[in-house]
Amino acid sequence: MDLTSVQDLKGALRNDFFHGYATAAAQVEGAWNKDGKGPSIWDTFGHTPGKVKDNSNADDAVRFYDFYREDVALMKSYGVNAYRFSLSWSRIIPLGGADDPVNEQGIKYYQDLVDELLNNGITPFVTLFHWDVPQALEDRYGGMLNQERFIPDFVRYARVCFERLGPKVRHWITFNEPGVYSLAGYAAGVHAPARSSFRELNEEGDSSTEPFIVGHTELVTHGHVSKLYREVFQPQQKGTIGITLHGNWSEPWDEDDPRDQEAAERAREFEIAWFADPLYKTGDYPASMRAQLGDRLPRFTPEESKLVLGSSEFYGMNSYTTFFVQHKDTPPDINDHKGNVIVHDTNSKGVSRGEESDTPWLRTAPTGWRKLLNWIWNRYHVPIYVTENGTTAKGETAPTPEVLIDTFRMRFFEGYVGGLARAVKEDGVDIRSYFAWTFTDNWEWAAGYTDRFGCTFIDFDSPMKTRYPKQSAYYLKALFEHLIAS
């Protein structure tokens, strides 16, 4: 593909713009019980029959633990200048707790990875938590449902990471998508730790309360970790710390109906402002959430509110698609977490939300993406780091020439990265990074190995998990060479 559609955007992005790939430890590392690593809730989930679409697990994943040097070299050939990855908490502290021993082999693995990246001119962005609570803490006290016990355990884990990796790491993210962790794990019950009100699916849980308790724990824990970093480590290490939130654009189903306009805004508040308002705007949850949820939504103490507000130095943004949202006249269901709306794939005029990928919820929608960048910037006015964005493509079952020349994914990147550059140049939005999801095909949580998001095809059946570069990796390289100011 050529760069015609972005020809007028040459040099639109700042000269220190970060671009690369994002991954998560549980999805790529493998070596699930190697060199002292303890089990996480995702190891347990993957080993539970019937939980994962293709009955797979991440015991080996793509063997990034074994092949990280080769992978960093491949990344370098893709022209990236940054790489976002997560640490496995149970690889560093196998039992997870504040008084539990540190696994030196786990620490050394991440130190070696950071060195390998830096030696290749790639800046590490490190995520402390990407959904994999140590199973020992889940067994001990219920993980994030117990805020009082969870916070000191996580803060100690963070301290170990800052002490041992912080001298060479300048970019820290505390939690990845706290909302998705809460909703998929505790409302729908389709992710670890697999809790919900739906007894045909989960033995335990309460979808009407637990997601909001867990979300609150994540926000307050983030506040404590940010305070620790900024007071103890930042003066010497000179790094930055923030959080990454998920959120897709909600577009009114009938753009001329004020009720649908309100419903779309409410949907954005339930999905995004749930976390972003306490962090960047008010120190409290949106009024629309309180109105619907009442006391099922936890309340911040004055101390917690002060701790959380202003605790993230940037807006970490994960986003993929757009949905059409219609108002509902009936009262909300007790297990509703979307703001009492109806979600559609087409609007009132029959217009589709976008071209289909290989993942039912994900359609290509760059117009909504640009609107969302503006919405976040206008509401919060903090620098945006895009920490995840990407797509699957239909028919990627073998590394054939047709699959490796992945025009669908290239079209996706053209629309989204181009839209990002226009948001910077034409709308004045402050955006400082773009991390594509993802570097290689990986173990995509409950979808197993069926969802291929990678710019590198993986032969999962081969012992070496053989890598085959897709054309989209080189397209992204050319795109950023054009867009980033010299």
Side-chain angles (χ1 to χ4, degrees):
M1 285 180 69
D2 63 21
L3 302 175
T4 311
S5 69
V6 294
Q7 209 54 53
D8 61 320
L9 293 169
K10 185 168 176 60
L13 303 179
R14 49 195 293 152
N15 62 5
D16 59 353
F17 191 90
F18 292 105
H19 67 101
Y21 294 94
T23 64
Q27 295 180 264
V28 298
E29 284 181 2
W32 78 281
N33 59 357
K34 195 172 170 182
D35 296 338
K37 180 186 172 293
S40 77
I41 58 172
W42 274 99
D43 293 317
T44 302
F45 189 92
H47 291 150
T48 305
K51 292 294 186 191
V52 179
K53 185 175 178 180
D54 55 2
N55 294 310
S56 66
N57 57 53
D59 290 4
D60 294 320
V62 302
R63 297 188 64 190
F64 184 75
Y65 186 84
D66 299 318
F67 303 137
Y68 72 89
R69 287 186 178 85
E70 294 86 340
D71 277 348
V72 170
L74 184 58
M75 260 183 248
K76 188 178 183 180
S77 77
Y78 290 175
V80 311
N81 65 13
Y83 175 55
R84 175 181 170 233
F85 62 96
S86 78
L87 308 174
S88 165
W89 182 354
S90 62
R91 196 180 292 288
I92 291 173
I93 304 171
L95 297 173
D99 300 318
D100 292 321
V102 171
N103 175 28
E104 289 300 330
Q105 284 172 291
I107 292 278
K108 185 177 187 311
Y109 166 68
Y110 291 116
Q111 288 174 330
D112 290 347
L113 171 57
V114 167
D115 285 342
E116 192 70 21
L117 289 165
L118 292 172
N119 291 341
N120 283 277
I122 300 172
T123 299
F125 277 63
V126 178
T127 305
L128 291 171
F129 179 80
H130 200 128
W131 303 356
D132 45 352
V133 174
Q135 184 62 44
L137 301 187
E138 202 67 28
D139 296 340
R140 212 174 274 175
Y141 54 74
M144 290 192 199
L145 288 169
N146 190 327
Q147 178 181 314
E148 194 181 342
R149 292 189 66 181
F150 181 83
I151 288 174
D153 286 350
F154 192 88
V155 169
R156 189 278 187 122
Y157 159 60
R159 179 185 285 274
V160 170
C161 297
F162 297 150
E163 285 172 352
R164 306 296 293 276
L165 300 171
K168 293 182 180 180
V169 171
R170 298 285 175 271
H171 300 271
W172 292 98
I173 293 164
T174 53
F175 289 87
N176 176 78
E177 298 184 348
V180 176
Y181 178 75
S182 305
L183 294 174
Y186 295 84
V190 294
H191 278 188
R195 296 177 63 88
S196 76
S197 295
F198 310 115
R199 290 294 164 260
E200 68 281 6
L201 190 63
N202 308 114
E203 291 174 17
E204 295 179 304
D206 183 345
S207 302
S208 74
T209 57
E210 289 187 1
F212 305 111
I213 293 168
V214 168
H216 196 78
T217 295
E218 290 174 286
L219 278 167
V220 177
T221 307
H222 159 82
H224 281 286
V225 169
S226 176
K227 184 172 189 282
L228 168 72
Y229 182 75
R230 293 198 289 179
E231 288 180 358
V232 178
F233 297 96
Q234 198 176 48
Q236 288 79 39
Q237 296 180 357
K238 310 290 186 206
T240 184
I241 191 163
I243 195 168
T244 276
L245 306 180
H246 83 292
N248 295 305
W249 179 247
S250 292
E251 182 76 13
W253 180 71
D254 180 349
E255 61 186 359
D256 300 319
D257 189 334
R259 294 169 303 173
D260 285 357
Q261 293 169 4
E262 283 175 23
E265 180 73 0
R266 194 166 63 248
R268 294 189 285 267
E269 290 182 343
F270 264 71
E271 186 176 25
I272 301 168
W274 172 15
F275 291 91
D277 276 14
L279 286 158
Y280 304 108
K281 190 175 172 73
T282 60
D284 200 2
Y285 296 116
S288 60
M289 293 188 73
R290 182 65 66 195
Q292 179 177 317
L293 300 168
D295 288 337
R296 287 187 285 124
L297 189 64
R299 294 181 188 274
F300 289 96
T301 66
E303 295 77 25
E304 287 175 343
S305 187
K306 191 177 170 207
L307 188 69
V308 171
L309 183 61
S311 61
S312 181
E313 297 180 330
F314 54 85
Y315 189 105
M317 175 183 171
N318 290 1
S319 185
Y320 291 83
T321 194
T322 290
F323 293 96
F324 291 114
V325 168
Q326 184 183 14
H327 76 282
K328 233 184 194 173
D329 290 323
T330 52
D333 179 85
I334 192 168
N335 292 323
D336 175 72
H337 51 261
K338 291 181 187 286
N340 200 34
V341 297
I342 307 166
V343 178
H344 297 279
D345 286 333
T346 53
N347 69 9
S348 62
K349 296 180 176 68
V351 176
S352 166
R353 63 188 179 91
E355 198 178 358
E356 290 182 26
S357 69
D358 199 39
T359 305
W361 60 265
L362 206 177
R363 296 196 186 183
T364 304
T367 305
W369 158 255
R370 185 173 171 185
K371 287 182 182 179
L372 181 58
L373 288 165
N374 275 277
W375 187 85
I376 289 169
W377 173 246
N378 291 328
R379 190 173 175 113
Y380 302 118
H381 288 291
V382 285
I384 296 171
Y385 284 75
V386 173
T387 41
E388 276 184 36
N389 176 245
T391 189
T392 56
K394 291 183 176 180
E396 291 194 336
T397 54
T400 61
E402 297 77 24
V403 165
L404 297 180
I405 302 172
D406 51 341
T407 50
F408 178 84
R409 189 173 283 103
M410 289 188 272
R411 273 203 313 279
F412 179 96
F413 288 140
E414 178 185 36
Y416 281 74
V417 177
L420 179 152
R422 290 199 188 282
V424 171
K425 185 181 180 183
E426 297 167 14
D427 308 335
V429 183
D430 183 355
I431 307 173
R432 303 188 182 185
S433 77
Y434 179 90
F435 290 92
W437 187 268
T438 179
F439 172 53
T440 63
D441 295 334
N442 62 29
W443 191 69
E444 195 54 46
W445 307 112
Y449 297 110
T450 64
D451 268 8
R452 292 180 178 268
F453 277 86
C455 290
T456 312
F457 186 96
I458 298 284
D459 178 357
F460 290 116
D461 296 327
S462 67
M464 304 293 283
K465 312 293 178 188
T466 310
R467 276 85 165 135
Y468 298 88
K470 300 177 192 175
Q471 194 62 39
S472 57
Y474 302 108
Y475 175 70
L476 273 178
K477 179 183 181 186
L479 199 52
F480 282 111
E481 282 172 355
H482 176 72
L483 293 172
I484 294 174
S486 52

